[in-house]
Amino acid sequence: MTAAAYQYADLPDASVVTTRALLTARENITDTVAARAMMCIHGGAGFGKTLAVNTCLRGLEPGEDVRRVTFRARPTARAVRYELFTALGLPGQPPRHPSEFDRLLKTALAERPRTFLVDEAQWLNGEAFEYFRYLWDEPSTRLAIVFVGGEGCHSVLRREAMLSSRIFIWQHFTRLTPAEVAEVIPLFHPLWADADPEDIAYADQHAAHGNFRNWARLTAHVRLALARTSRPRVDTDLLRWAFSRLGNPT
């Protein structure tokens, strides 16, 4: 699968590569949705969590109703209600009173099975997490919820005992190991396909550090360098120039 904008970089010809973490996420998400359960995918920034989850959700059974919600600040339960109202595409104006709003959401969520992808979940506080639990616990709703967030997401969820005890699967995304880098980066973009494995290892050690977002930024700069110099392939000089743009002078 090609990714026109891979990990926040406009990177033509980049591909989504099947890492061990992505394969595990695919299995975990499939099982969570089938069970109408909740799961948490967490890990450091740039490790490929959101990309993996979006890829896996697109591979679910046709007709699965997936809605994405994203929070950028500490939301209250009121803010969560409004975000869900928008994500579900409900008609009319949002109700003014919380009890009426809750009835409307529970009625909509009882219509058919739905899956929520809650991205940037590290911004959720206890009140917001509790509201998702409240909706999921409603017997008439048939919700599956995939929380995706940074390390803070895991910490906050663990503190919410009632919700944490209901999490079906926890998955921790980590950096690519050197062995994984050697295996998947040549598949990630054509410019690495014929690169010297030592240059790939050098790039990872000095700039990418097993982080897919770093690899995407580095690849974008190396691609520019190849085009401007007409060199046939990646070399150490090109890498050092790219490092300097990324704030890595070595």
Side-chain angles (χ1 to χ4, degrees):
M1 179 183 299
T2 11
Y6 195 109
Q7 293 286 359
Y8 310 100
D10 184 8
L11 193 56
D13 302 322
S15 296
V16 176
V17 290
T18 306
T19 62
R20 180 178 56 188
L22 189 146
L23 287 173
T24 301
R26 181 178 297 159
E27 181 177 275
N28 289 342
I29 289 170
T30 299
D31 291 345
T32 297
V33 171
R36 312 316 304 176
M38 292 187 284
M39 71 172 291
C40 175
I41 291 180
H42 61 102
F47 290 176
K49 303 179 301 295
T50 300
L51 181 72
V53 171
N54 285 332
T55 301
C56 295
L57 288 174
R58 284 195 293 269
L60 292 176
E61 292 293 329
E64 179 67 38
D65 189 349
V66 179
R67 305 298 172 108
R68 175 175 175 162
V69 290
T70 305
F71 300 95
R72 300 293 180 182
R74 304 288 179 188
T76 61
R78 181 174 181 271
V80 174
R81 289 186 183 95
Y82 277 89
E83 190 67 31
L84 295 181
F85 181 91
T86 302
L88 291 168
L90 298 179
Q93 295 298 313
R96 297 179 60 184
H97 300 290
S99 59
E100 183 183 356
F101 213 151
D102 292 346
R103 284 196 298 273
L104 175 67
L105 290 175
K106 287 190 286 188
T107 298
L109 293 172
E111 291 174 352
R112 59 184 178 276
R114 298 180 190 268
T115 297
F116 281 137
L117 164 59
V118 183
D119 203 5
E120 302 294 348
Q122 71 272 10
W123 290 109
L124 298 182
N125 53 23
E127 179 184 3
F129 275 127
E130 173 61 21
Y131 191 73
F132 279 107
R133 184 201 64 78
Y134 165 74
L135 293 176
W136 185 83
D137 271 353
E138 169 61 36
S140 64
T141 63
R142 292 173 287 170
L143 272 179
I145 304 177
V146 181
F147 294 109
V148 183
E151 303 293 3
C153 167
H154 174 267
S155 302
V156 174
L157 262 173
R158 283 296 191 189
R159 288 198 298 269
E160 299 299 317
M162 291 183 68
L163 180 58
S164 178
S165 66
R166 289 164 169 78
I167 297 297
F168 186 52
I169 295 173
W170 301 85
Q171 182 178 349
H172 187 206
F173 267 61
T174 58
R175 298 179 187 277
L176 295 173
T177 65
E180 287 176 310
V181 167
E183 180 182 355
V184 305
I185 293 305
L187 304 175
F188 165 57
H189 195 278
L191 70 82
W192 302 111
D194 63 348
D196 188 319
E198 291 187 3
D199 285 334
I200 293 176
Y202 178 72
D204 192 58
Q205 179 184 357
H206 290 276
H209 310 297
N211 183 304
F212 251 124
R213 191 174 300 165
N214 290 345
W215 269 109
R217 291 189 301 139
L218 175 64
T219 303
H221 288 299
V222 171
R223 183 173 174 272
L224 286 173
L226 286 170
R228 289 173 182 174
T229 62
S230 297
R231 296 191 184 190
R233 59 188 300 216
V234 176
D235 58 39
T236 304
D237 288 340
L238 285 179
L239 289 175
R240 286 175 177 161
W241 177 83
F243 296 169
S244 70
R245 284 192 151 195
L246 297 172
N248 301 84
T250 54

Short mmCIF file of all heavy atoms in Angstrom, two decimals, residues 5 23 33 42 53 72 83 90 102-103 112 115-116 126 128 133 177 181 188 199-200 216 230-232 234-235:
data_model
loop_
_atom_site.label_atom_id
_atom_site.label_comp_id
_atom_site.label_asym_id
_atom_site.label_seq_id
_atom_site.Cartn_x
_atom_site.Cartn_y
_atom_site.Cartn_z
N ALA A 5 1.40 10.68 1.84
CA ALA A 5 1.95 11.50 2.93
C ALA A 5 2.26 10.56 4.08
O ALA A 5 1.39 10.24 4.88
CB ALA A 5 0.96 12.57 3.35
N LEU A 23 1.76 -6.22 12.13
CA LEU A 23 1.10 -7.53 12.09
C LEU A 23 0.39 -7.82 13.41
O LEU A 23 -0.74 -8.33 13.44
CB LEU A 23 2.12 -8.62 11.80
CG LEU A 23 2.65 -8.69 10.37
CD1 LEU A 23 3.78 -9.72 10.27
CD2 LEU A 23 1.54 -9.04 9.38
N VAL A 33 -12.33 -5.76 17.69
CA VAL A 33 -13.58 -5.40 17.01
C VAL A 33 -14.56 -6.58 17.05
O VAL A 33 -15.76 -6.39 17.28
CB VAL A 33 -13.28 -4.96 15.56
CG1 VAL A 33 -14.57 -4.80 14.76
CG2 VAL A 33 -12.49 -3.65 15.56
N HIS A 42 -0.18 2.11 22.56
CA HIS A 42 0.55 3.26 23.08
C HIS A 42 2.04 3.12 22.76
O HIS A 42 2.54 2.03 22.48
CB HIS A 42 0.34 3.39 24.59
CG HIS A 42 0.81 2.19 25.37
ND1 HIS A 42 2.01 2.18 26.06
CD2 HIS A 42 0.28 0.96 25.55
CE1 HIS A 42 2.17 1.00 26.64
NE2 HIS A 42 1.13 0.24 26.35
N VAL A 53 -2.60 1.60 12.78
CA VAL A 53 -4.01 1.43 13.13
C VAL A 53 -4.91 1.78 11.95
O VAL A 53 -5.87 1.06 11.64
CB VAL A 53 -4.36 2.28 14.37
CG1 VAL A 53 -5.87 2.30 14.61
CG2 VAL A 53 -3.65 1.74 15.61
N ARG A 72 -6.97 17.35 21.02
CA ARG A 72 -5.70 18.07 21.08
C ARG A 72 -5.51 18.79 22.42
O ARG A 72 -4.52 19.47 22.62
CB ARG A 72 -5.62 19.10 19.95
CG ARG A 72 -5.73 18.49 18.56
CD ARG A 72 -4.54 17.62 18.22
NE ARG A 72 -4.66 17.06 16.89
CZ ARG A 72 -3.77 16.24 16.35
NH1 ARG A 72 -2.71 15.88 17.04
NH2 ARG A 72 -3.94 15.75 15.13
N GLU A 83 -17.74 16.02 20.32
CA GLU A 83 -16.88 15.38 19.33
C GLU A 83 -17.56 14.13 18.77
O GLU A 83 -17.50 13.87 17.56
CB GLU A 83 -15.55 15.01 19.96
CG GLU A 83 -14.48 14.55 18.99
CD GLU A 83 -14.01 15.64 18.04
OE1 GLU A 83 -14.01 16.82 18.44
OE2 GLU A 83 -13.67 15.29 16.89
N LEU A 90 -24.60 13.18 13.39
CA LEU A 90 -25.99 13.25 13.82
C LEU A 90 -26.64 14.54 13.34
O LEU A 90 -26.00 15.60 13.30
CB LEU A 90 -26.07 13.14 15.34
CG LEU A 90 -25.54 11.82 15.93
CD1 LEU A 90 -25.63 11.82 17.44
CD2 LEU A 90 -26.30 10.64 15.34
N ASP A 102 -26.77 12.47 26.44
CA ASP A 102 -26.39 11.07 26.66
C ASP A 102 -27.40 10.12 26.04
O ASP A 102 -27.03 9.12 25.41
CB ASP A 102 -26.26 10.79 28.16
CG ASP A 102 -25.08 11.52 28.78
OD1 ASP A 102 -24.22 12.02 28.04
OD2 ASP A 102 -25.04 11.59 30.03
N ARG A 103 -28.67 10.42 26.18
CA ARG A 103 -29.70 9.56 25.58
C ARG A 103 -29.58 9.53 24.07
O ARG A 103 -29.71 8.47 23.44
CB ARG A 103 -31.10 10.04 26.00
CG ARG A 103 -31.50 9.68 27.42
CD ARG A 103 -33.01 9.84 27.62
NE ARG A 103 -33.43 11.23 27.42
CZ ARG A 103 -33.44 12.16 28.37
NH1 ARG A 103 -33.03 11.85 29.59
NH2 ARG A 103 -33.84 13.38 28.11
N ARG A 112 -26.41 0.12 15.43
CA ARG A 112 -25.62 -0.92 14.78
C ARG A 112 -24.23 -0.94 15.42
O ARG A 112 -23.84 0.00 16.09
CB ARG A 112 -25.50 -0.66 13.27
CG ARG A 112 -24.86 0.67 12.90
CD ARG A 112 -24.88 0.85 11.39
NE ARG A 112 -24.32 2.12 10.96
CZ ARG A 112 -25.00 3.25 10.92
NH1 ARG A 112 -26.28 3.28 11.30
NH2 ARG A 112 -24.42 4.37 10.50
N THR A 115 -17.20 1.12 15.55
CA THR A 115 -15.84 1.12 16.08
C THR A 115 -15.34 2.55 16.13
O THR A 115 -15.41 3.27 15.13
CB THR A 115 -14.90 0.27 15.21
OG1 THR A 115 -15.33 -1.08 15.23
CG2 THR A 115 -13.46 0.35 15.72
N PHE A 116 -14.84 2.97 17.29
CA PHE A 116 -14.22 4.28 17.43
C PHE A 116 -12.71 4.13 17.49
O PHE A 116 -12.19 3.32 18.27
CB PHE A 116 -14.69 4.98 18.71
CG PHE A 116 -16.04 5.61 18.63
CD1 PHE A 116 -16.94 5.48 19.68
CD2 PHE A 116 -16.43 6.34 17.51
CE1 PHE A 116 -18.18 6.07 19.62
CE2 PHE A 116 -17.68 6.92 17.44
CZ PHE A 116 -18.56 6.79 18.49
N GLY A 126 -9.03 11.71 33.13
CA GLY A 126 -9.89 10.69 33.73
C GLY A 126 -11.35 10.88 33.39
O GLY A 126 -12.07 9.91 33.14
N ALA A 128 -12.71 12.23 30.71
CA ALA A 128 -12.99 11.85 29.32
C ALA A 128 -12.96 10.33 29.15
O ALA A 128 -13.84 9.75 28.49
CB ALA A 128 -11.98 12.51 28.38
N ARG A 133 -16.06 4.93 28.86
CA ARG A 133 -16.44 3.70 29.58
C ARG A 133 -17.95 3.67 29.81
O ARG A 133 -18.60 2.63 29.66
CB ARG A 133 -15.70 3.62 30.92
CG ARG A 133 -16.00 2.31 31.68
CD ARG A 133 -15.72 2.44 33.16
NE ARG A 133 -16.58 3.41 33.80
CZ ARG A 133 -17.85 3.18 34.14
NH1 ARG A 133 -18.40 2.00 33.88
NH2 ARG A 133 -18.56 4.10 34.72
N THR A 177 14.15 -2.27 15.89
CA THR A 177 15.48 -2.75 16.25
C THR A 177 16.40 -2.61 15.03
O THR A 177 15.92 -2.49 13.89
CB THR A 177 15.44 -4.22 16.67
OG1 THR A 177 15.06 -5.01 15.53
CG2 THR A 177 14.44 -4.44 17.81
N VAL A 181 15.27 -2.59 11.11
CA VAL A 181 15.64 -1.51 10.19
C VAL A 181 16.25 -2.09 8.92
O VAL A 181 15.88 -1.72 7.80
CB VAL A 181 16.62 -0.53 10.87
CG1 VAL A 181 17.27 0.40 9.84
CG2 VAL A 181 15.91 0.29 11.94
N PHE A 188 10.70 0.22 2.40
CA PHE A 188 9.96 1.44 2.73
C PHE A 188 9.96 2.44 1.58
O PHE A 188 8.94 3.06 1.27
CB PHE A 188 10.56 2.05 4.00
CG PHE A 188 10.17 3.46 4.28
CD1 PHE A 188 8.84 3.82 4.40
CD2 PHE A 188 11.13 4.44 4.46
CE1 PHE A 188 8.48 5.14 4.67
CE2 PHE A 188 10.78 5.75 4.73
CZ PHE A 188 9.45 6.10 4.83
N ASP A 199 25.26 1.87 5.05
CA ASP A 199 24.75 3.24 5.03
C ASP A 199 23.40 3.33 5.73
O ASP A 199 23.10 4.33 6.40
CB ASP A 199 24.63 3.74 3.58
CG ASP A 199 25.98 4.09 2.96
OD1 ASP A 199 26.91 4.43 3.73
OD2 ASP A 199 26.12 4.01 1.74
N ILE A 200 22.57 2.32 5.56
CA ILE A 200 21.28 2.30 6.25
C ILE A 200 21.50 2.23 7.76
O ILE A 200 20.86 2.97 8.53
CB ILE A 200 20.42 1.11 5.77
CG1 ILE A 200 20.01 1.31 4.30
CG2 ILE A 200 19.19 0.93 6.65
CD1 ILE A 200 19.24 0.15 3.70
N ALA A 216 11.09 8.88 7.67
CA ALA A 216 10.35 9.58 6.61
C ALA A 216 10.98 10.94 6.34
O ALA A 216 11.18 11.32 5.17
CB ALA A 216 8.88 9.73 7.00
N SER A 230 22.25 14.51 -8.84
CA SER A 230 22.22 13.47 -9.88
C SER A 230 23.08 12.26 -9.52
O SER A 230 23.53 11.52 -10.41
CB SER A 230 22.68 14.05 -11.23
OG SER A 230 21.80 15.08 -11.64
N ARG A 231 23.31 12.06 -8.25
CA ARG A 231 24.04 10.85 -7.84
C ARG A 231 23.12 9.65 -7.99
O ARG A 231 21.90 9.75 -7.79
CB ARG A 231 24.52 10.99 -6.40
CG ARG A 231 25.54 12.11 -6.21
CD ARG A 231 26.19 12.05 -4.85
NE ARG A 231 27.09 13.18 -4.65
CZ ARG A 231 27.93 13.29 -3.64
NH1 ARG A 231 27.99 12.33 -2.72
NH2 ARG A 231 28.71 14.36 -3.52
N PRO A 232 23.68 8.50 -8.30
CA PRO A 232 22.83 7.34 -8.58
C PRO A 232 22.24 6.68 -7.35
O PRO A 232 21.23 6.00 -7.44
CB PRO A 232 23.78 6.39 -9.33
CG PRO A 232 25.14 6.74 -8.80
CD PRO A 232 25.10 8.23 -8.58
N VAL A 234 22.31 6.45 -2.64
CA VAL A 234 22.66 7.04 -1.34
C VAL A 234 24.13 6.78 -1.03
O VAL A 234 24.65 5.69 -1.31
CB VAL A 234 21.78 6.41 -0.23
CG1 VAL A 234 22.19 6.93 1.14
CG2 VAL A 234 20.31 6.69 -0.50
N ASP A 235 24.79 7.79 -0.45
CA ASP A 235 26.15 7.59 0.03
C ASP A 235 26.33 8.39 1.32
O ASP A 235 25.43 9.13 1.75
CB ASP A 235 27.19 7.97 -1.02
CG ASP A 235 27.08 9.42 -1.48
OD1 ASP A 235 26.81 10.29 -0.62
OD2 ASP A 235 27.27 9.68 -2.67
#
